[in-house]
Amino acid sequence: MAFSLVRLFYLLMFFGCVALFLAGRLFYLQILAGPALTAASLSSRIQEVSVDVARGDILDCNGLPFTNTALHFSVLVFPDHLHNPSQTARRLARLTGQDEEAITAKINQRRPFKVKTNLDAVTAQQINTMNSQGVMAVAEKVRYNYTSLASHVVGYTNIADNRGVSGLEVMYDDILRGNQSEFVAALVDAGQQLIPGLGYKRLHLEGQSKASDIVLTIDSHIQKIVEAEMDKSIEKGAVVVMRPSTGEIVAMASRPNFDANHLIDYLKMSDSPLLNRAVSAYQPGSVFKMVLAAAALEEKTVSASQVFFDPGYIYVNDRQFKGWDFDQGGRGKITFTQAIAYSSNPVVIEVAQKVGASSLVSWAQKLGFGKKTTLNFDGEGEGNLPAPENLYPGDLANLSIGQGSLEASPLQVAAMIATIVNDGIKPDPILVKELRSREGIVVKRYPLSRGTRTLSKQTAAALRDMMADATRYGTGQAAFVENGGSAGKTGSAETGHYDKKGKSLSHAWFAGYAPLYNPAYVIVVFVEKGMSGGDVAAPIFRDIAAETLRRK
């Protein structure tokens, strides 16, 4: 009897354990793993094709869009739903201009796919009225406008994953992209056939964060002026336009240009159209003489009215440095202000030897050379500023006239000129003004730069006089703007390269401001291998400044 009770007890324990296990498994399947298993079950009954989700807009300071300005149409194909696959492939190839064999190959893979095209609305309507189940044309926003305005600023995305690759697109990728998704879905039966009556649905899934718009300091009206002039006059180069009081960049462009809708066409071009030359570093040439002048005045090594003698050349140790006007016999007796206006190499080199390498490099650093600007734009170069301990007298001579290993970007030069115009206060360049929700509500504002005192007011005023004299009677006369006046500094920087005739090639620069009184804009023009700053870059500056001031 006792033995039977023990057996009964163990039997009950066994069935109790089995019951607990089954209850636990049921709890796991229904409660813990239920949502995932449901989704997996449904996914086998859903066929879907993703469509592009419009990223946030990139807007100019007036709210005008650089992106999402038009629609195009793509074709979605669900192979399992096609009644006549070969006929469908033939029709699609004819209407879209795509290769029929490529479409057929994708159909044979039996997975839903998208034919990426730039169909117009009429052709899209033709496709949607083909009465071919499993094929439809859907509208998607074209990310980039066809004028390619501000293309190097805006940048571009990777078509495969809609992520930013360059420019503002990559710098603000998380903000512009958000984490939403959109697709066209079809609910199918166990045989992967469309369930009658349900059709195709375009679904938009909201993620944790929505895409936002970014508002720039760029003024598209000024940007158009700049780019129109560049298309006429600059094959390779860059232009930066900045408000000196705030550091706001109102225009920034690079050439050659590119169309972000057809990137593959530009990837193998030898002239590097995807390179943003506005933030890339080059030898600045005589534009750097403004830094030497600033250092000399701040250190009180010389005064603006001090007289020097320019014979057209100067010896540093046993090495001769010629002035650009060597063949004319030099300038003779001139003041330091006139030396800068005439871009006198002999006088500048003489003063540089008195200033010394440590002081010159130190002031160049204060004015932003040798490091990225606070903008830290995508692909921005630091440039190169040699260490003072590596500068022998001949190297110092080269540095003072913007040659040798010195390199700077047009953006860095613009910040330096803005410091001079802004009474010695160096503004931080700014490009993004605010973030907005897609409904237009301001989410975040970026404060304008209060700047940093870098030069004394007296030095800044003296430097402006030098730049004004450059356009009155010096090397920059071609940059003078009739209505309102202008001031600036030319630069012709030797590159170490030669043309087919053996002639030395130089970069052409003009960096200045307009109008002369109460300056509104700093404008830097850089023409890669453009030869003469006074003959090539200065007239471009004049035309941009004159048209910009006329429309102000």
Side-chain angles (χ1 to χ4, degrees):
M1 183 68 178
F3 180 73
S4 298
L5 290 173
V6 171
R7 291 181 62 186
L8 181 61
F9 173 77
Y10 281 115
L11 189 61
L12 291 173
M13 287 288 291
F14 172 76
F15 283 114
C17 290
V18 171
L20 284 173
F21 173 79
L22 292 175
R25 183 63 177 167
L26 188 62
F27 177 81
Y28 171 78
L29 292 175
Q30 290 191 336
I31 305 301
L32 299 181
L37 293 173
T38 301
S41 174
L42 285 175
S43 66
S44 67
R45 297 298 179 90
I46 293 177
Q47 293 185 354
E48 62 185 48
V49 182
S50 64
V51 295
D52 289 347
V53 180
R55 291 163 63 89
D57 278 320
I58 298 176
L59 309 168
D60 87 332
C61 63
N62 302 304
L64 301 176
F66 289 115
T67 55
N68 298 336
T69 56
L71 289 176
H72 74 164
F73 294 83
S74 293
V75 180
L76 308 186
V77 181
F78 294 80
D80 286 335
H81 307 164
L82 300 176
H83 296 308
N84 191 329
S86 59
Q87 184 183 62
T88 299
R90 189 163 50 253
R91 286 183 178 179
L92 287 179
R94 176 173 54 82
L95 290 170
T96 66
Q98 302 290 313
D99 181 68
E100 182 180 342
E101 291 184 2
I103 295 175
T104 299
K106 287 186 176 182
I107 289 175
N108 291 338
Q109 291 176 3
R110 303 294 298 276
R111 291 192 299 270
F113 64 93
K114 178 169 66 175
V115 181
K116 190 79 174 181
T117 65
N118 290 316
L119 298 180
D120 56 34
V122 174
T123 306
Q125 181 64 21
Q126 289 179 336
I127 291 172
N128 285 335
T129 56
M130 280 172 43
N131 294 323
S132 177
Q133 183 174 289
V135 177
M136 70 184 69
V138 296
E140 296 178 300
K141 283 194 173 182
V142 178
R143 180 63 177 166
Y144 305 108
N145 61 58
Y146 296 103
T147 62
S148 299
L149 191 66
S151 59
H152 291 86
V153 174
V154 171
Y156 53 88
T157 60
N158 186 336
I159 295 176
D161 58 12
N162 203 29
R163 292 179 179 272
V165 175
S166 78
L168 292 170
E169 292 281 30
V170 69
M171 293 174 68
Y172 291 84
D173 185 51
D174 290 343
I175 292 168
L176 291 168
R177 179 165 47 87
N179 64 349
Q180 302 168 89
S181 58
E182 191 167 340
F183 55 91
V184 173
L187 193 62
V188 296
D189 59 22
Q192 300 300 308
Q193 295 303 305
L194 189 67
I195 296 176
L198 294 181
Y200 301 95
K201 303 292 183 183
R202 186 163 181 166
L203 304 177
H204 183 88
L205 300 184
E206 297 286 352
Q208 292 181 346
S209 63
K210 293 183 179 181
S212 296
D213 300 337
I214 61 175
V215 182
L216 309 185
T217 58
I218 284 184
D219 186 326
S220 60
H221 300 299
I222 298 177
Q223 185 78 21
K224 287 177 182 177
I225 291 171
V226 167
E227 297 206 32
E229 183 59 37
M230 293 178 76
D231 287 337
K232 289 191 299 183
S233 309
I234 299 178
E235 185 176 341
K236 292 183 183 180
V239 173
V240 177
V241 184
M242 179 185 292
R243 295 190 195 277
S245 59
T246 61
E248 293 170 281
I249 298 171
V250 296
M252 184 164 72
S254 177
R255 286 296 181 272
N257 204 3
F258 68 90
D259 179 356
N261 295 301
H262 302 94
L263 279 177
I264 196 169
D265 297 338
Y266 301 91
L267 293 176
K268 295 183 179 180
M269 290 186 178
S270 60
D271 53 1
S272 304
L274 301 181
L275 176 67
N276 186 351
R277 287 168 167 81
V279 296
S280 300
Y282 303 87
Q283 297 91 344
S286 293
V287 168
F288 190 76
K289 289 175 182 175
M290 299 309 303
V291 178
L292 179 278
L297 294 175
E298 286 288 311
E299 296 287 336
K300 302 191 185 319
T301 305
V302 300
S303 67
S305 59
Q306 188 170 333
V307 177
F308 294 84
F309 185 77
D310 174 10
Y313 62 90
I314 187 174
Y315 280 96
V316 177
N317 294 335
D318 295 328
R319 183 178 174 185
Q320 186 187 59
F321 290 85
K322 296 180 180 179
W324 65 270
D325 52 359
F326 173 79
D327 294 337
Q328 301 171 26
R331 294 285 172 179
K333 288 185 177 182
I334 53 176
T335 66
F336 187 51
T337 293
Q338 291 172 326
I340 299 299
Y342 286 128
S343 201
S344 167
N345 285 349
V347 173
V348 166
I349 291 173
E350 180 183 344
V351 172
Q353 302 303 313
K354 296 178 181 179
V355 170
S358 294
S359 289
L360 180 54
V361 170
S362 175
W363 283 102
Q365 289 173 333
K366 291 176 184 177
L367 287 165
F369 290 83
K371 59 185 177 183
K372 294 180 182 180
T373 68
T374 53
L375 185 64
N376 195 23
F377 195 80
D378 173 56
E380 182 177 342
E382 294 182 351
N384 185 64
L385 184 63
E389 59 268 21
N390 296 329
L391 293 173
Y392 294 97
D395 302 316
L396 177 58
N398 262 329
L399 174 63
S400 67
I401 59 176
Q403 297 288 168
S405 60
L406 176 69
E407 291 183 340
S409 69
L411 179 60
Q412 288 172 321
V413 172
M416 182 264 290
I417 298 297
T419 305
I420 295 171
V421 175
N422 201 31
D423 274 337
I425 297 176
K426 185 178 184 296
D428 293 326
I430 184 171
L431 188 58
V432 176
K433 189 162 109 177
E434 61 189 31
L435 306 182
R436 291 182 187 171
S437 69
R438 300 312 304 273
E439 294 74 33
I441 300 171
V442 176
V443 176
K444 179 179 180 179
R445 282 194 175 92
Y446 292 92
L448 296 177
S449 171
R450 299 180 64 181
T452 305
R453 169 64 64 187
T454 305
L455 303 174
S456 67
K457 289 184 178 181
Q458 294 80 4
T459 294
L463 296 174
R464 289 196 299 273
D465 287 342
M466 294 173 184
M467 296 168 73
D469 284 353
T471 56
R472 287 194 188 101
Y473 60 79
T475 57
Q477 294 179 63
F480 187 76
V481 177
E482 291 296 334
N483 294 322
S486 58
K489 184 70 189 78
T490 56
S492 301
E494 295 180 0
T495 64
H497 297 113
Y498 298 86
D499 63 14
K500 294 180 180 179
K501 297 180 180 179
K503 186 176 181 180
S504 176
L505 297 173
S506 299
H507 297 320
W509 292 81
F510 191 89
Y513 61 89
L516 199 56
Y517 302 103
N518 299 317
Y521 304 107
V522 163
I523 303 173
V524 174
V525 176
F526 165 70
V527 185
E528 187 175 328
K529 296 179 182 177
M531 302 305 288
S532 169
D535 294 335
V536 176
I540 297 172
F541 169 95
R542 178 197 62 215
D543 292 345
I544 291 173
E547 185 65 12
T548 299
L549 292 175
R550 188 178 72 82
R551 295 197 179 190
K552 185 181 174 184

